[in-house]
mmCIF file of all heavy atoms in Angstrom:
data_model
loop_
_atom_site.group_PDB
_atom_site.id
_atom_site.type_symbol
_atom_site.label_atom_id
_atom_site.label_comp_id
_atom_site.label_asym_id
_atom_site.label_seq_id
_atom_site.Cartn_x
_atom_site.Cartn_y
_atom_site.Cartn_z
ATOM 1 N N GLY A 272 2.687 9.198 8.122
ATOM 2 C CA GLY A 272 3.115 9.679 6.805
ATOM 3 C C GLY A 272 3.101 8.605 5.737
ATOM 4 O O GLY A 272 3.598 8.821 4.639
ATOM 5 N N TYR A 273 2.535 7.449 6.054
ATOM 6 C CA TYR A 273 2.596 6.363 5.083
ATOM 7 C C TYR A 273 1.374 6.363 4.174
ATOM 8 O O TYR A 273 0.267 6.647 4.624
ATOM 9 C CB TYR A 273 2.708 5.017 5.797
ATOM 10 C CG TYR A 273 4.010 4.889 6.524
ATOM 11 C CD1 TYR A 273 4.134 5.250 7.849
ATOM 12 C CD2 TYR A 273 5.151 4.447 5.854
ATOM 13 C CE1 TYR A 273 5.343 5.182 8.510
ATOM 14 C CE2 TYR A 273 6.363 4.363 6.498
ATOM 15 C CZ TYR A 273 6.452 4.730 7.824
ATOM 16 O OH TYR A 273 7.664 4.660 8.461
ATOM 17 N N LEU A 278 2.384 -0.523 4.199
ATOM 18 C CA LEU A 278 3.763 -0.033 4.249
ATOM 19 C C LEU A 278 4.109 0.426 5.668
ATOM 20 O O LEU A 278 5.200 0.177 6.171
ATOM 21 C CB LEU A 278 3.953 1.116 3.252
ATOM 22 C CG LEU A 278 5.411 1.524 3.038
ATOM 23 C CD1 LEU A 278 6.205 0.387 2.411
ATOM 24 C CD2 LEU A 278 5.517 2.759 2.164
ATOM 25 N N TYR A 282 7.072 -1.047 8.052
ATOM 26 C CA TYR A 282 8.099 -0.224 8.695
ATOM 27 C C TYR A 282 8.071 -0.328 10.214
ATOM 28 O O TYR A 282 9.022 0.078 10.878
ATOM 29 C CB TYR A 282 7.957 1.245 8.254
ATOM 30 C CG TYR A 282 8.810 1.556 7.051
ATOM 31 C CD1 TYR A 282 8.392 1.196 5.781
ATOM 32 C CD2 TYR A 282 10.053 2.160 7.186
ATOM 33 C CE1 TYR A 282 9.170 1.440 4.683
ATOM 34 C CE2 TYR A 282 10.846 2.412 6.076
ATOM 35 C CZ TYR A 282 10.400 2.057 4.830
ATOM 36 O OH TYR A 282 11.189 2.290 3.744
ATOM 37 N N THR A 286 10.214 -2.363 15.524
ATOM 38 C CA THR A 286 9.601 -2.098 16.833
ATOM 39 C C THR A 286 8.794 -3.301 17.320
ATOM 40 O O THR A 286 8.837 -3.639 18.502
ATOM 41 C CB THR A 286 8.678 -0.868 16.725
ATOM 42 O OG1 THR A 286 9.416 0.169 16.091
ATOM 43 C CG2 THR A 286 8.233 -0.401 18.077
ATOM 44 N N ARG A 461 15.925 -2.810 10.676
ATOM 45 C CA ARG A 461 16.026 -1.351 10.546
ATOM 46 C C ARG A 461 16.884 -0.997 9.323
ATOM 47 O O ARG A 461 16.525 -0.174 8.499
ATOM 48 C CB ARG A 461 16.652 -0.821 11.838
ATOM 49 C CG ARG A 461 16.860 0.645 11.895
ATOM 50 C CD ARG A 461 15.815 1.322 12.772
ATOM 51 N NE ARG A 461 14.632 1.626 12.004
ATOM 52 C CZ ARG A 461 13.429 1.797 12.516
ATOM 53 N NH1 ARG A 461 13.236 1.636 13.805
ATOM 54 N NH2 ARG A 461 12.429 2.091 11.739
ATOM 55 N N LEU A 464 15.178 -1.777 6.058
ATOM 56 C CA LEU A 464 14.142 -0.803 5.709
ATOM 57 C C LEU A 464 14.735 0.562 5.382
ATOM 58 O O LEU A 464 14.143 1.341 4.643
ATOM 59 C CB LEU A 464 13.140 -0.670 6.861
ATOM 60 C CG LEU A 464 12.290 -1.935 7.078
ATOM 61 C CD1 LEU A 464 11.550 -1.863 8.397
ATOM 62 C CD2 LEU A 464 11.303 -2.113 5.931
ATOM 63 N N ASP A 465 15.908 0.862 5.918
ATOM 64 C CA ASP A 465 16.518 2.158 5.645
ATOM 65 C C ASP A 465 17.301 2.165 4.342
ATOM 66 O O ASP A 465 17.537 3.221 3.773
ATOM 67 C CB ASP A 465 17.463 2.541 6.797
ATOM 68 C CG ASP A 465 16.719 3.252 7.909
ATOM 69 O OD1 ASP A 465 15.657 3.829 7.617
ATOM 70 O OD2 ASP A 465 17.192 3.228 9.056
ATOM 71 N N GLU A 466 17.745 1.018 3.892
ATOM 72 C CA GLU A 466 18.678 1.035 2.770
ATOM 73 C C GLU A 466 18.220 0.276 1.539
ATOM 74 O O GLU A 466 18.796 0.424 0.474
ATOM 75 C CB GLU A 466 20.038 0.479 3.243
ATOM 76 C CG GLU A 466 20.643 1.360 4.322
ATOM 77 C CD GLU A 466 21.919 0.784 4.912
ATOM 78 O OE1 GLU A 466 22.365 -0.268 4.426
ATOM 79 O OE2 GLU A 466 22.449 1.403 5.842
ATOM 80 N N PRO A 468 14.623 -0.526 0.278
ATOM 81 C CA PRO A 468 13.361 -0.455 -0.482
ATOM 82 C C PRO A 468 13.523 0.059 -1.912
ATOM 83 O O PRO A 468 12.831 -0.404 -2.815
ATOM 84 C CB PRO A 468 12.504 0.510 0.354
ATOM 85 C CG PRO A 468 13.029 0.362 1.726
ATOM 86 C CD PRO A 468 14.503 0.175 1.564
ATOM 87 N N GLY A 469 14.453 0.999 -2.118
ATOM 88 C CA GLY A 469 14.660 1.522 -3.475
ATOM 89 C C GLY A 469 15.075 0.431 -4.434
ATOM 90 O O GLY A 469 14.579 0.329 -5.565
ATOM 91 N N PHE A 470 15.986 -0.429 -4.003
ATOM 92 C CA PHE A 470 16.430 -1.538 -4.856
ATOM 93 C C PHE A 470 15.266 -2.484 -5.137
ATOM 94 O O PHE A 470 15.072 -2.928 -6.258
ATOM 95 C CB PHE A 470 17.557 -2.331 -4.181
ATOM 96 C CG PHE A 470 18.815 -1.550 -3.989
ATOM 97 C CD1 PHE A 470 19.296 -1.268 -2.727
ATOM 98 C CD2 PHE A 470 19.524 -1.074 -5.096
ATOM 99 C CE1 PHE A 470 20.458 -0.535 -2.552
ATOM 100 C CE2 PHE A 470 20.697 -0.349 -4.929
ATOM 101 C CZ PHE A 470 21.152 -0.073 -3.649
ATOM 102 N N ARG A 472 12.115 -1.871 -5.086
ATOM 103 C CA ARG A 472 11.124 -1.284 -5.982
ATOM 104 C C ARG A 472 11.612 -1.331 -7.431
ATOM 105 O O ARG A 472 10.834 -1.583 -8.347
ATOM 106 C CB ARG A 472 10.832 0.163 -5.594
ATOM 107 C CG ARG A 472 9.597 0.705 -6.276
ATOM 108 C CD ARG A 472 9.400 2.150 -5.915
ATOM 109 N NE ARG A 472 8.013 2.564 -5.891
ATOM 110 C CZ ARG A 472 7.389 3.087 -6.936
ATOM 111 N NH1 ARG A 472 8.018 3.219 -8.075
ATOM 112 N NH2 ARG A 472 6.143 3.470 -6.838
ATOM 113 N N ARG A 473 12.898 -1.105 -7.631
ATOM 114 C CA ARG A 473 13.415 -1.157 -9.004
ATOM 115 C C ARG A 473 13.289 -2.565 -9.575
ATOM 116 O O ARG A 473 12.950 -2.753 -10.732
ATOM 117 C CB ARG A 473 14.876 -0.680 -9.045
ATOM 118 C CG ARG A 473 14.974 0.792 -9.447
ATOM 119 C CD ARG A 473 16.355 1.320 -9.203
ATOM 120 N NE ARG A 473 16.368 2.036 -7.937
ATOM 121 C CZ ARG A 473 17.467 2.301 -7.244
ATOM 122 N NH1 ARG A 473 18.647 1.869 -7.680
ATOM 123 N NH2 ARG A 473 17.397 2.977 -6.129
ATOM 124 N N LYS A 476 9.750 -3.172 -10.452
ATOM 125 C CA LYS A 476 9.374 -2.509 -11.701
ATOM 126 C C LYS A 476 9.728 -3.379 -12.908
ATOM 127 O O LYS A 476 8.997 -3.423 -13.887
ATOM 128 C CB LYS A 476 10.092 -1.162 -11.782
ATOM 129 C CG LYS A 476 9.431 -0.233 -12.751
ATOM 130 C CD LYS A 476 9.898 1.183 -12.610
ATOM 131 C CE LYS A 476 9.206 2.019 -13.674
ATOM 132 N NZ LYS A 476 9.778 3.339 -13.816
ATOM 133 N N ARG A 477 10.854 -4.058 -12.802
ATOM 134 C CA ARG A 477 11.275 -4.873 -13.940
ATOM 135 C C ARG A 477 10.527 -6.198 -14.025
ATOM 136 O O ARG A 477 10.489 -6.809 -15.087
ATOM 137 C CB ARG A 477 12.786 -5.115 -13.865
ATOM 138 C CG ARG A 477 13.594 -3.830 -14.117
ATOM 139 C CD ARG A 477 15.050 -4.125 -14.353
ATOM 140 N NE ARG A 477 15.753 -4.454 -13.124
ATOM 141 C CZ ARG A 477 16.417 -3.559 -12.388
ATOM 142 N NH1 ARG A 477 16.449 -2.288 -12.757
ATOM 143 N NH2 ARG A 477 17.033 -3.911 -11.291
ATOM 144 N N TYR A 602 4.386 -5.513 -1.950
ATOM 145 C CA TYR A 602 3.799 -4.173 -1.839
ATOM 146 C C TYR A 602 4.087 -3.349 -3.100
ATOM 147 O O TYR A 602 3.177 -2.763 -3.687
ATOM 148 C CB TYR A 602 4.356 -3.456 -0.598
ATOM 149 C CG TYR A 602 3.930 -2.011 -0.500
ATOM 150 C CD1 TYR A 602 2.636 -1.679 -0.121
ATOM 151 C CD2 TYR A 602 4.809 -0.975 -0.814
ATOM 152 C CE1 TYR A 602 2.224 -0.360 -0.052
ATOM 153 C CE2 TYR A 602 4.404 0.356 -0.749
ATOM 154 C CZ TYR A 602 3.118 0.650 -0.370
ATOM 155 O OH TYR A 602 2.712 1.968 -0.312
ATOM 156 N N PHE A 603 5.351 -3.346 -3.527
ATOM 157 C CA PHE A 603 5.686 -2.515 -4.686
ATOM 158 C C PHE A 603 5.045 -3.061 -5.963
ATOM 159 O O PHE A 603 4.629 -2.287 -6.824
ATOM 160 C CB PHE A 603 7.203 -2.380 -4.837
ATOM 161 C CG PHE A 603 7.832 -1.565 -3.745
ATOM 162 C CD1 PHE A 603 8.909 -2.037 -3.026
ATOM 163 C CD2 PHE A 603 7.310 -0.322 -3.420
ATOM 164 C CE1 PHE A 603 9.471 -1.287 -2.006
ATOM 165 C CE2 PHE A 603 7.858 0.439 -2.401
ATOM 166 C CZ PHE A 603 8.947 -0.043 -1.694
ATOM 167 N N PHE B 129 1.470 15.815 11.784
ATOM 168 C CA PHE B 129 2.744 15.832 12.524
ATOM 169 C C PHE B 129 2.935 17.133 13.297
ATOM 170 O O PHE B 129 3.581 17.168 14.336
ATOM 171 C CB PHE B 129 3.924 15.687 11.552
ATOM 172 C CG PHE B 129 3.961 14.378 10.807
ATOM 173 C CD1 PHE B 129 4.240 14.345 9.450
ATOM 174 C CD2 PHE B 129 3.740 13.182 11.459
ATOM 175 C CE1 PHE B 129 4.290 13.150 8.761
ATOM 176 C CE2 PHE B 129 3.788 11.980 10.779
ATOM 177 C CZ PHE B 129 4.063 11.962 9.423
ATOM 178 N N LEU B 138 10.529 6.946 -3.901
ATOM 179 C CA LEU B 138 11.604 6.098 -4.415
ATOM 180 C C LEU B 138 11.951 6.560 -5.819
ATOM 181 O O LEU B 138 11.074 6.803 -6.636
ATOM 182 C CB LEU B 138 11.172 4.640 -4.407
ATOM 183 C CG LEU B 138 11.029 4.047 -3.004
ATOM 184 C CD1 LEU B 138 10.427 2.659 -3.047
ATOM 185 C CD2 LEU B 138 12.359 4.026 -2.276
ATOM 186 N N GLN B 140 14.492 6.396 -9.492
ATOM 187 C CA GLN B 140 15.163 5.435 -10.365
ATOM 188 C C GLN B 140 16.568 5.148 -9.861
ATOM 189 O O GLN B 140 17.028 4.030 -9.845
ATOM 190 C CB GLN B 140 15.244 5.980 -11.800
ATOM 191 C CG GLN B 140 14.118 5.540 -12.683
ATOM 192 C CD GLN B 140 13.813 4.070 -12.583
ATOM 193 O OE1 GLN B 140 14.702 3.217 -12.554
ATOM 194 N NE2 GLN B 140 12.547 3.723 -12.495
ATOM 195 N N SER B 142 19.188 6.204 -6.617
ATOM 196 C CA SER B 142 19.289 6.937 -5.360
ATOM 197 C C SER B 142 20.504 7.847 -5.341
ATOM 198 O O SER B 142 20.629 8.700 -4.487
ATOM 199 C CB SER B 142 19.403 5.961 -4.198
ATOM 200 O OG SER B 142 18.624 4.847 -4.440
ATOM 201 N N TYR B 149 16.760 8.170 6.182
ATOM 202 C CA TYR B 149 16.528 7.047 7.089
ATOM 203 C C TYR B 149 15.268 7.388 7.874
ATOM 204 O O TYR B 149 15.193 8.463 8.468
ATOM 205 C CB TYR B 149 17.695 6.895 8.063
ATOM 206 C CG TYR B 149 18.906 6.234 7.470
ATOM 207 C CD1 TYR B 149 19.723 6.926 6.578
ATOM 208 C CD2 TYR B 149 19.234 4.925 7.801
ATOM 209 C CE1 TYR B 149 20.837 6.321 6.027
ATOM 210 C CE2 TYR B 149 20.349 4.315 7.255
ATOM 211 C CZ TYR B 149 21.153 5.011 6.371
ATOM 212 O OH TYR B 149 22.239 4.396 5.834
ATOM 213 N N ILE B 150 14.299 6.460 7.848
ATOM 214 C CA ILE B 150 13.030 6.749 8.528
ATOM 215 C C ILE B 150 12.899 5.901 9.777
ATOM 216 O O ILE B 150 13.023 4.689 9.732
ATOM 217 C CB ILE B 150 11.826 6.467 7.595
ATOM 218 C CG1 ILE B 150 12.005 7.204 6.277
ATOM 219 C CG2 ILE B 150 10.527 6.897 8.270
ATOM 220 C CD1 ILE B 150 10.945 6.859 5.249
ATOM 221 N N ASP B 152 10.661 5.193 13.633
ATOM 222 C CA ASP B 152 9.266 5.020 14.021
ATOM 223 C C ASP B 152 8.510 6.326 13.851
ATOM 224 O O ASP B 152 9.091 7.397 13.935
ATOM 225 C CB ASP B 152 9.184 4.615 15.489
ATOM 226 C CG ASP B 152 9.627 3.171 15.656
ATOM 227 O OD1 ASP B 152 9.992 2.558 14.633
ATOM 228 O OD2 ASP B 152 9.633 2.691 16.792
ATOM 229 N N SER B 154 7.399 7.746 11.434
ATOM 230 C CA SER B 154 7.775 8.492 10.227
ATOM 231 C C SER B 154 8.786 9.597 10.459
ATOM 232 O O SER B 154 8.920 10.485 9.636
ATOM 233 C CB SER B 154 6.552 9.114 9.544
ATOM 234 O OG SER B 154 5.555 8.174 9.378
ATOM 235 N N ASN B 166 26.780 1.574 -4.549
ATOM 236 C CA ASN B 166 25.447 1.028 -4.721
ATOM 237 C C ASN B 166 24.930 0.426 -3.420
ATOM 238 O O ASN B 166 24.305 -0.609 -3.410
ATOM 239 C CB ASN B 166 25.462 -0.019 -5.837
ATOM 240 C CG ASN B 166 24.171 0.017 -6.620
ATOM 241 O OD1 ASN B 166 23.367 0.936 -6.448
ATOM 242 N ND2 ASN B 166 23.948 -0.986 -7.434
ATOM 243 N N MET B 168 23.079 2.054 -0.960
ATOM 244 C CA MET B 168 21.823 2.558 -0.413
ATOM 245 C C MET B 168 20.786 2.716 -1.495
ATOM 246 O O MET B 168 21.084 3.168 -2.576
ATOM 247 C CB MET B 168 22.050 3.924 0.223
ATOM 248 C CG MET B 168 22.293 3.851 1.703
ATOM 249 S SD MET B 168 22.013 5.463 2.424
ATOM 250 C CE MET B 168 20.246 5.469 2.596
ATOM 251 N N GLY B 169 19.581 2.357 -1.191
ATOM 252 C CA GLY B 169 18.512 2.577 -2.155
ATOM 253 C C GLY B 169 17.234 2.806 -1.404
ATOM 254 O O GLY B 169 16.348 1.973 -1.389
ATOM 255 N N ASN B 170 17.158 3.905 -0.724
ATOM 256 C CA ASN B 170 15.952 4.124 0.062
ATOM 257 C C ASN B 170 15.159 5.295 -0.473
ATOM 258 O O ASN B 170 15.460 5.854 -1.515
ATOM 259 C CB ASN B 170 16.309 4.339 1.524
ATOM 260 C CG ASN B 170 15.114 4.134 2.421
ATOM 261 O OD1 ASN B 170 14.179 3.434 2.034
ATOM 262 N ND2 ASN B 170 15.117 4.751 3.561
ATOM 263 N N TYR B 171 14.140 5.657 0.276
ATOM 264 C CA TYR B 171 13.339 6.814 -0.077
ATOM 265 C C TYR B 171 14.235 8.052 -0.135
ATOM 266 O O TYR B 171 15.155 8.187 0.663
ATOM 267 C CB TYR B 171 12.217 6.986 0.945
ATOM 268 C CG TYR B 171 11.142 5.942 0.759
ATOM 269 C CD1 TYR B 171 11.183 4.739 1.443
ATOM 270 C CD2 TYR B 171 10.129 6.155 -0.155
ATOM 271 C CE1 TYR B 171 10.214 3.765 1.237
ATOM 272 C CE2 TYR B 171 9.150 5.199 -0.366
ATOM 273 C CZ TYR B 171 9.199 4.007 0.324
ATOM 274 O OH TYR B 171 8.252 3.055 0.114
ATOM 275 N N ALA B 209 8.597 12.349 7.567
ATOM 276 C CA ALA B 209 8.486 11.925 6.164
ATOM 277 C C ALA B 209 7.044 11.595 5.829
ATOM 278 O O ALA B 209 6.326 10.986 6.622
ATOM 279 C CB ALA B 209 9.351 10.694 5.930
ATOM 280 N N THR B 210 6.617 11.998 4.655
ATOM 281 C CA THR B 210 5.363 11.499 4.123
ATOM 282 C C THR B 210 5.686 10.840 2.792
ATOM 283 O O THR B 210 6.361 11.422 1.947
ATOM 284 C CB THR B 210 4.296 12.613 4.010
ATOM 285 O OG1 THR B 210 3.119 12.051 3.435
ATOM 286 C CG2 THR B 210 4.743 13.786 3.165
ATOM 287 N N ILE B 211 5.295 9.579 2.667
ATOM 288 C CA ILE B 211 5.769 8.789 1.522
ATOM 289 C C ILE B 211 4.849 8.958 0.321
ATOM 290 O O ILE B 211 3.631 8.822 0.429
ATOM 291 C CB ILE B 211 5.898 7.304 1.914
ATOM 292 C CG1 ILE B 211 7.000 7.137 2.961
ATOM 293 C CG2 ILE B 211 6.194 6.451 0.691
ATOM 294 C CD1 ILE B 211 7.219 5.727 3.428
ATOM 295 N N GLU B 213 3.705 7.550 -3.153
ATOM 296 C CA GLU B 213 3.777 6.348 -3.984
ATOM 297 C C GLU B 213 3.189 6.580 -5.377
ATOM 298 O O GLU B 213 3.122 5.681 -6.188
ATOM 299 C CB GLU B 213 3.077 5.160 -3.304
ATOM 300 C CG GLU B 213 3.899 4.474 -2.220
ATOM 301 C CD GLU B 213 5.143 3.751 -2.729
ATOM 302 O OE1 GLU B 213 5.295 3.588 -3.953
ATOM 303 O OE2 GLU B 213 5.983 3.366 -1.899
ATOM 304 N N ASP B 363 17.715 2.848 -17.656
ATOM 305 C CA ASP B 363 16.849 1.916 -16.947
ATOM 306 C C ASP B 363 15.529 1.700 -17.694
ATOM 307 O O ASP B 363 14.541 1.284 -17.117
ATOM 308 C CB ASP B 363 16.582 2.392 -15.514
ATOM 309 C CG ASP B 363 16.650 1.233 -14.528
ATOM 310 O OD1 ASP B 363 17.064 0.143 -14.959
ATOM 311 O OD2 ASP B 363 16.283 1.411 -13.366
#
Side-chain angles (χ1 to χ4, degrees):
Chain A
Y273 294 92
L278 191 64
Y282 268 79
T286 310
R461 179 104 274 157
L464 292 167
D465 273 336
E466 297 175 4
F470 295 116
R472 193 183 211 268
R473 263 168 261 160
K476 200 166 178 192
R477 291 193 284 266
Y602 173 75
F603 291 128
Chain B
F129 296 136
L138 291 173
Q140 266 314 317
S142 324
Y149 282 74
I150 307 174
D152 287 1
S154 310
N166 215 10
M168 265 198 82
N170 198 24
Y171 286 92
T210 178
I211 294 180
E213 281 293 349
D363 222 9

